[in-house]
């Protein structure tokens, strides 16, 4: 990993007396693909705009490539943005759009043309230079927006929810292409999205934000498997939550009571006896057994309420005897036994010990 | 931080702001304030005003002679507004209910007179209305009348002139609000058993209120100021507020009094606009609450 | 209902257009005073162009209209930009003032401006007329251009900044070309307003500088004159063309 290319130091920003970014410190490293992920209004786009220079911070410092950049206008920053709406200039051709930045810098025309051609080829739009913007499809406009930004050879490319206006299939294609582009260019990509799947599939590192604060920073696997708190656990992926209480601790293990069933789980956070906890389990981590079979491990009891066939998985909605509903996912496996259940069939629910995430119940 | 140098002050941004701010202040704000000041000064035969405080002009407004002009001017303007509304509402309604393809050219036909010099349009009316003008010629040729009707230089001519000049000012805002009216609401009202009159008073009228008010303001105010309409069509008999202001300024040289009248007119306008925006706000919030 | 609708619309259009049509037809009528048609002629137009007083007034009017509409368009375009993009003290009250000016009766503006000019010691004539015309055209340009700027995606301006454009370059390369139709429409309307204005001009011009509408006003007070028919016809046709052009310029891309 390279050295820090962007640093936020205690950055705060508000609009109309509402704090949007609240005392955030964050280091972004050279060459990484970093995603700012969070629900709308969490401050992720504001963070991006502060790097671009389109927004100034009220407090703290934004350091870009070692220089405190708070007062450097957008035009003078080595940073370019791909906007959510693409923001292509409607009165210019594709070529004029892409050449805009270079021609403002007064580069010679031959060089501009060469670079524009290169950029067009990079986004697979070679030969589209003379087209008018209005005559391009959404996906093509998206590519022009990317070309217009990267042609300036910025240190950092900022992408503000660039895929949100595309249809599902195109979005999946573009994810892959953006990853490849990132590898080819070797520059830092900072990507903003509210789509967790996008974040998980594309990023080297994810910063999960909520209410102007950073909830967790980490690699996709870490964020998914070890969510730092309930917000992250709930925002990323689907989760089942169980309220419980610690009844005894023993080194790395502890005894807990969940839904009136005694279980033993890992103690990773120094939980203490009588502490209220919340156990979090992904649907695919649940183990389902027919109640008619012998359920050996400690387990919860319930009945199958709904069975949803999804092709490669079978999802169950199970109502526990306590009345609580949970979701489970089972993958088809060549040699797995039958995983279809009858409506209302009694089942035992447990999970592989150690796969659970236990968080304090605040 | 650097000390701001000249190049920092003379940026494009500051130039743009300075230009428009200076112009608006100097030629819109300052003159408006000036009128307010002049209206409370004493008149002077030679220099128009002397810098001595006096409420004389405002007292003079209560003079029966002027009160009569006010009353008359109001009556003219109110009547004109009413006539424009009566003629304009069905027109705007029908226009809004015409096929979309026809609406644009038809609307343009209303916009053209809106922008055309009302002096020229008033002049065109004279040709029509005068004793040996078109109407009289045709009516006599048809044998309906023997002697020419005396329309020109009467109150009727002034009304025709004002309505003719100001009708587009009523139609355009009315059309704007009627065009936005979701006609399914009308269908829903009928479906719920409303009679046509009820549909009109309970659905169409309240929803087009902003348009009616905007139109009324745009007709009522100019109707009091269009001095050349009564001048040309009503002879010297009809005197409107506009004629009064004009005469006080240019003929009698009584600036404080002329200013007082125009302050009064401005206040009236602001009052009407305040009512308008309040109504708009109430309609907007009530729609919001329902949503 | 359909018949009622159609006939009502037709009736009102007739009311709006018959006087103007009659005026136009009369400008070609050989008869001087009579209402009867005595054959087509262009002699009133010829007479109009021989009338030096009217021609002088026309030159004056056009000079004022050209100059004031250009100045109003320049200031108004920059003004619309300033009101839209920049935050400065008094932005909102000033914009409200601009809006109110558009609504306020001409006579109030005429009086307040003549007060200002007399107190400033300006001689009433070309300069004062020019200042006044720019002032009443300005709000129309500002409002037209403002509507256009606020119609496009604000991210476009961010994008230009992001790509290295300064304020002037944003104006020159982005805002001006994108608002061009509105700017042109604002200019056309200003020109028309200036050429047609009676009330404000009535107050702010002096006896040495006569302009067309005022000249027409004083002639018309004394009765109908065939040359005036010709003149009014020309002015009407001019307005007609500019309004249609402006209308399509504004509508063009807003769809």
């Amino acid at each position: 990993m390279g050295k820090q290319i962007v640093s936020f130091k205690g950055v705060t920003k508000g609009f109309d007396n509402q704090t949007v970014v609240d005392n955030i410190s964050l280091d972004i490293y050279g060459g990484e693909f970093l995603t700012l992920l969070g629900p709308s209004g969490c401050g992720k786009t504001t963070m991006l705009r502060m790097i671009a220079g389109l927004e100034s911070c009220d407090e703290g410092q934004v350091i870009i490539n070692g220089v405190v950049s708070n007062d450097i206008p957008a035009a003078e920053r080595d940073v370019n943005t791909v906007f959510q709406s693409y923001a292509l200039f409607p009165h210019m051709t594709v070529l004029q759009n892409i050449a805009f930045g270079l021609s403002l810098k007064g580069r010679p025309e031959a060089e501009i043309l060469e670079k524009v051609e290169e950029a067009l080829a990079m986004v697979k739009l070679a030969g589209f230079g003379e087209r008018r913007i209005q005559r391009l499809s959404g996906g093509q406009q998206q590519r022009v927006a990317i070309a217009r930004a990267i042609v300036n050879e910025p240190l950092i490319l900022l992408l503000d929810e660039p895929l949100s206006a595309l249809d599902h299939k195109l979005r999946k294609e573009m994810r892959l292409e953006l990853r490849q582009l990132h590898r080819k260019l070797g520059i830092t990509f900072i990507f903003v999205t509210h789509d967790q799947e996008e974040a998980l599939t594309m990023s080297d590192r994810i910063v999960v934000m909520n209410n102007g604060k950073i909830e967790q920073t980490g690699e996709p696997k870490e964020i998914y498997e070890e969510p730092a708190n309930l917000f992250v656990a709930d925002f990323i992926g689907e989760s089942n939550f169980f309220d419980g209480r610690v009844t005894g601790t023993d080194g790395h293990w502890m005894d807990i009571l969940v839904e009136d069933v005694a279980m033993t789980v890992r103690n990773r956070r120094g939980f203490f006896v009588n502490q209220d906890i919340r156990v979090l389990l992904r649907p695919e981590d649940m183990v389902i057994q027919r109640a008619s079979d012998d359920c050996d491990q400690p387990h919860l009891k319930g009945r199958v309420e709904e069975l949803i066939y999804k092709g490669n998985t079978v999802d169950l909605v199970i109502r526990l005897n306590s009345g609580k509903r949970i979701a489970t996912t089972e993958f088809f496996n060549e040699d797995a036994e039958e995983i279809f259940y009858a409506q209302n069939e009694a089942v035992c629910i447990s999970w592989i010990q150690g796969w659970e995430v236990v968080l304090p119940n605040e | 931080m650097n000390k701001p140098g000249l190049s920092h002050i003379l940026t494009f941004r500051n130039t743009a702001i300075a230009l428009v701010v200076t112009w608006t202040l100097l030629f819109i704000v300052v003159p408006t304030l000036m009128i307010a000041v002049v209206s409370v000064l004493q008149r002077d035969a030679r220099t128009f005003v002397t810098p001595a405080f006096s409420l004389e002009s405002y007292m003079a407004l209560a003079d029966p002679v002027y009160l009569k002009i006010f009353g008359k001017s109001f009556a003219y303007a109110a009547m004109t507004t009413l006539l424009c509304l009566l003629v304009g509402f069905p027109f705007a309604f029908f226009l809004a209910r015409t096929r979309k393809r026809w609406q644009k050219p038809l609307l343009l036909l209303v916009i053209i007179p809106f922008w055309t010099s009302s002096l020229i349009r008033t002049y065109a009316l004279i040709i029509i209305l005068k004793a040996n003008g078109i109407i009289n010629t045709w009516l006599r040729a048809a044998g309906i009348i023997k002697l020419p009707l005396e329309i020109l230089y009467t109150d009727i001519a002034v009304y025709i002139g004002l309505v003719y000049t100001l009708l587009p000012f009523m139609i355009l805002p009315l059309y704007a609000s009627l065009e936005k009216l979701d006609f399914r609401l009308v269908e829903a009202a009928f479906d719920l058993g409303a009679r046509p009159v009820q549909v009109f008073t309970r659905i169409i009228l309240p929803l087009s209120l902003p348009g009616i008010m905007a139109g009324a303001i745009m007709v009522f105010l100019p109707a009091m100021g269009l001095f050349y309409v009564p001048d040309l069509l009503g002879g010297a008999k009809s005197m409107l507020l506009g004629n009064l202001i004009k005469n006080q300024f240019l003929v009698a040289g009584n600036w404080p009094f002329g200013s007082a009248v125009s302050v009064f007119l401005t206040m009236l306008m602001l009052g009407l606009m305040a009512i308008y925006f309040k109504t708009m706000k109430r309609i907007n919030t009530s729609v919001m609450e329902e949503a | 209902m359909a018949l009622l609708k159609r006939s009502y619309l037709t009736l009102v259009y007739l009311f709006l257009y018959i006087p103007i049509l009659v005026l136009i037809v009369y400008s070609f009528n050989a008869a001087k005073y009579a209402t009867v048609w005595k054959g087509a002629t262009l002699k009133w137009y010829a007479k109009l162009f021989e009338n030096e007083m009217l021609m002088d007034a026309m030159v004056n009017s056009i000079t004022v209209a050209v100059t004031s509409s250009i100045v109003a368009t320049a200031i108004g375009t920059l003004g619309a930009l300033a009101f839209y993009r920049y935050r400065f003290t008094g932005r909102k009250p000033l914009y409200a003032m601009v809006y109110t000016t558009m609504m306020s009766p001409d006579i109030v503006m005429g009086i307040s401006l003549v007060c200002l000019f007399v107190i400033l010691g300006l001689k009433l004539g070309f300069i004062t007329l020019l200042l006044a015309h720019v002032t009443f055209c300005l709000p129309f340009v500002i409002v037209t251009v403002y509507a256009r700027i606020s119609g496009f995606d604000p991210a476009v301006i961010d994008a230009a900044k992001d790509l290295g454009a300064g304020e002037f370059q944003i104006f020159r390369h982005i805002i001006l070309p994108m608002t061009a139709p509105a700017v042109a429409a604002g200019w056309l309307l200003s020109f028309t307003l200036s050429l047609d204005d009676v009330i404000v001009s009535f107050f702010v011009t002096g006896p040495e500088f006569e302009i067309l509408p005022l000249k027409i006003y004083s002639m018309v007070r004394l009765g109908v004159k065939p040359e005036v028919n010709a003149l009014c016809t020309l002015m009407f046709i001019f307005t007609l063309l500019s309004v249609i052009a402006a209308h399509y310029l504004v509508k063009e891309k807003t769809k």
Side-chain angles (χ1 to χ4, degrees), chain A residues 6 8 28 47-53 64 77 79 158 190:
Chain A
V6 179
F8 285 88
I28 300 168
M47 294 273 286
L48 199 75
R49 289 173 66 84
M50 286 195 282
I51 303 172
I64 299 173
R77 296 189 189 198
V79 174
L158 306 176
I190 304 175

Side-chain angles (χ1 to χ4, degrees), chain C residues 222-252:
Chain C
L222 305 172
V224 177
K225 293 217 171 48
E227 307 99 283
V228 176
N229 292 353
L231 181 59
C232 287
T233 301
L234 291 179
M235 288 179 75
F236 174 75
I237 288 168
F238 177 80
T239 307
L240 182 81
L241 295 177
S242 349
V243 170
I244 291 174
H247 184 72
Y248 283 103
L249 281 171
V250 176
K251 291 277 156 180
E252 181 205 17

Side-chain angles (χ1 to χ4, degrees), chain A residues 86-101:
Chain A
Y86 313 145
L88 297 176
F89 307 128
H91 57 293
M92 299 183 190
T93 60
V94 169
L95 188 136
Q96 288 168 329
N97 262 280
I98 301 175
F100 189 74

Side-chain angles (χ1 to χ4, degrees), chain B residues 12-17 19-21 23-32 34-35 38 48-49 86-95 97-99 104-121 123-128 130 132-134 137-138 153 160 163-164 167-168 171 214 217-218 221-222 224-228 231-232 241-243 245-246 249-250 255 258-259 262-263 265-266 269-270 273 276-277, chain C residues 1 4-6 8-10 12-13 15-20 22-23 26 33-36 71 74-76 78-83 86-89 94 97-101 103-105 107-109 111-120 130-132 134-135 138-140 142 167-168 171 189-190 192-193 196 198-199 202-203 212-214 216-217 220-221 223-226 228-229 231-233 235-236 239-240 243-244 247-248 251 255:
Chain B
F12 173 75
R13 172 185 187 275
N14 291 350
T15 316
I17 296 174
L19 260 177
V20 72
V21 169
W23 199 284
T24 331
L25 282 180
L26 191 58
F27 295 111
I28 296 177
V29 179
V30 169
T32 308
M34 221 169 234
I35 282 289
V38 168
F48 301 120
V49 279
L86 287 178
V87 177
F89 195 94
F91 182 85
F93 184 80
F94 289 145
L95 188 60
R97 299 290 306 146
T98 322
R99 248 178 285 153
K104 269 186 190 163
L106 285 176
L107 189 64
L108 189 58
L109 281 178
V110 184
I111 293 175
I112 290 163
F114 180 88
W115 284 99
T116 308
S117 160
S118 44
L119 176 68
I120 293 180
R121 299 177 60 227
Y123 172 65
L125 267 185
I126 299 181
I127 303 178
I128 302 254
K130 63 180 182 169
N132 56 351
I134 294 261
T137 314
W138 284 355
Y153 308 126
I160 294 177
V163 172
Y164 178 64
L167 186 59
I171 291 175
I217 294 175
M218 286 179 74
L221 288 171
M224 288 193 292
L226 277 175
F227 61 78
Y228 54 80
D231 235 24
L232 296 178
L241 220 50
N243 305 60
I245 299 178
K246 191 197 90 179
F249 255 84
L250 298 178
W255 282 31
S259 303
S262 98
V263 166
L265 206 54
T266 309
M269 172 189 74
L270 291 177
M273 279 174 74
Y276 170 71
F277 281 115
Chain C
M1 191 67 181
L4 174 72
K5 183 172 93 179
R6 200 162 299 170
Y8 188 80
L9 288 176
T10 316
V12 174
Y13 280 120
F15 174 59
L16 287 175
Y17 280 93
I18 278 192
I20 296 172
V22 167
L23 170 79
Y26 269 45
Y33 295 110
T35 325
V36 284
V71 176
I75 300 178
L78 289 174
L81 174 79
F83 280 123
Y86 304 135
R87 301 287 169 267
F88 52 91
T89 352
L94 274 183
M97 202 72 199
V98 166
Y99 220 92
T100 318
T101 308
M103 299 278 283
S104 80
I107 194 161
V108 173
M109 179 184 275
I111 286 164
S112 53
L113 283 176
V114 79
C115 271
L116 177 79
F117 295 148
V118 168
I119 286 166
L120 287 180
L130 191 66
L131 293 172
V134 171
T135 306
L138 196 58
F140 288 90
I142 292 180
E167 285 302 322
F168 177 69
F171 175 70
L189 293 179
S190 297
T192 313
L193 276 176
D196 285 346
V198 179
I199 298 184
F202 191 89
F203 286 93
L212 219 40
L214 292 180
I216 296 174
Y217 181 36
V220 165
R221 293 178 80 170
V224 177
K225 293 217 171 48
V228 176
N229 292 353
L231 181 59
C232 287
T233 301
M235 288 179 75
F236 174 75
T239 307
L240 182 81
V243 170
I244 291 174
H247 184 72
Y248 283 103
K251 291 277 156 180
K255 279 176 256 169

